[in-house]
Amino acid sequence: ASNDEGLTVTLRPPCVVGDKVEDIDTPALVVDLDKMERNMDKMTEFMKEFPSCKLRPHAKSHKCPAIARMQIQRGAVGVCVQKVTEAEAMVNGGIKDVLVTNEIYGKTKLKRLASLASKARIGVCVDSIENLRQVSAAAKDQQTNIDVLVEVNLKMYRCGVEPDEVVPLVLLAKELPNITFVGLQCYAGRNQHIRESAMRSFASHDAMDIAKIAIKNLSDAGIECKYVTGAGTGTFKYEGGIGVLDEFQCGSYIFMDVDYCRNIGDDGKQFFEFEQSLFVLSTVHSLQGGSMARAILDAGIKAIGADSGPPEVYPWKDLVYFFGGDEHGIIVPPGPYKLGEKVYLIPGHCDPCVNLYDWIVGIRNNVVETIWPVSGRGPGI
Ligand code: PLP
Ligand code: MN
């Protein structure tokens, strides 16, 4: 792209394939490919416990078609996205089945969404008559079809209608042209991060009880609901056992982060069913000794994201990272680090962290194996 001064702005990757980790310019977003692939394989194993459920991983975690393709190779039926920009990135990257697990409001965005429906199956959530009419009109304009799901509020109080408001919306969806009612979006967001596993399980039952009311209301009205989708990394094991969901939308399992690993697993230990594979790689660019010994890093709030607290220093859990400002991180004590040394940081929350980067650097055995563009990054216009 060129700016007004005629300067060419290139999105320069921080390394080239074959570089050693020491050669990667920082801050850089790095994924340990062995760990990420093990997480994907582990999820494939988990899915065998739920033979009637399919996996549709959430691509908002990686925003990267290459990773989506790896998930589909391992049996995922398609991906979820949250934004039209993410849907565009996925379809342009060859993904043939994309579900927008969100409401998309307004002509401009819906025109773009509808234009993708000639290249892939596109589904979208709705929770109002006005929006449903918009989706239908946009699909009709482009002479295409969009699948619609009615989103149900599972007492999470984000988007979604109450169970007794589902039937009228579905009846209208069945009347309007160029859309197909396919099922219900039943995702219980806040339950993912309930710390105790028993409490996550109880909350999952409560959430699915609400979904069951919506399904019964439909069947009482003579409408069969064949497809209910929901669940994330924190709840799929519990919701999957209840028998309501046909599909899981887990996203974070491929990367994990500090916050997810604060969940407690069924064994009463920290939730490490999946491995932390994602890191912000940074460099010690100042090392100060004496009574206030510390290592100062080139990765601060702007390189990591701060909504779930500071990152952890890998593999030295006893070293504490403090945000030192927009562009600084401070490690106290400085531990084994030397000036110029690379430091691996595990982000507090993987999704917003990935969104800060143009590239994901895939490493294996300390060598750069691949550099993927984060094609769907940005606030998601
Ligand atoms: N589905 C929806 C609708 C979401 O909003 C999210 C994440 O917030 C997910 C799935 C994925 O959840 P997780 O990253 O916890 O696996
Ligand atoms: Mn998240």
Side-chain angles (χ1 to χ4, degrees), residues 58 60 82 101 158 185 187 192 232-233 249-252 260:
H58 216 301
K60 80 192 169 90
Q82 213 77 306
T101 56
R158 200 163 67 174
Q185 165 75 359
Y187 175 71
Q192 308 306 319
T233 304
Q249 304 180 352
C250 313
S252 302
Y260 240 124

Side-chain angles (χ1 to χ4, degrees), residues 60 193 252 257 349-352:
K60 80 192 169 90
H193 294 268
S252 302
D257 51 37
H349 185 183
C350 56
D351 312 71

Side-chain angles (χ1 to χ4, degrees), residues 167-232:
V167 170
L169 265 181
V170 173
L171 290 175
L172 179 61
K174 284 176 172 289
E175 259 174 44
L176 291 173
N178 299 76
I179 54 173
T180 309
F181 166 72
V182 292
L184 299 178
Q185 165 75 359
C186 291
Y187 175 71
R190 276 181 290 110
N191 291 352
Q192 308 306 319
H193 294 268
I194 294 175
R195 296 308 182 202
E196 297 293 335
S197 66
M199 292 299 158
R200 264 196 321 284
S201 170
F202 296 155
S204 296
H205 277 86
D206 287 349
M208 291 300 105
D209 281 349
I210 301 169
K212 282 180 196 167
I213 299 171
I215 295 163
K216 176 158 191 313
N217 288 345
L218 283 173
S219 80
D220 288 350
I223 302 163
E224 196 189 355
C225 182
K226 289 198 202 129
Y227 171 57
V228 185
T229 176

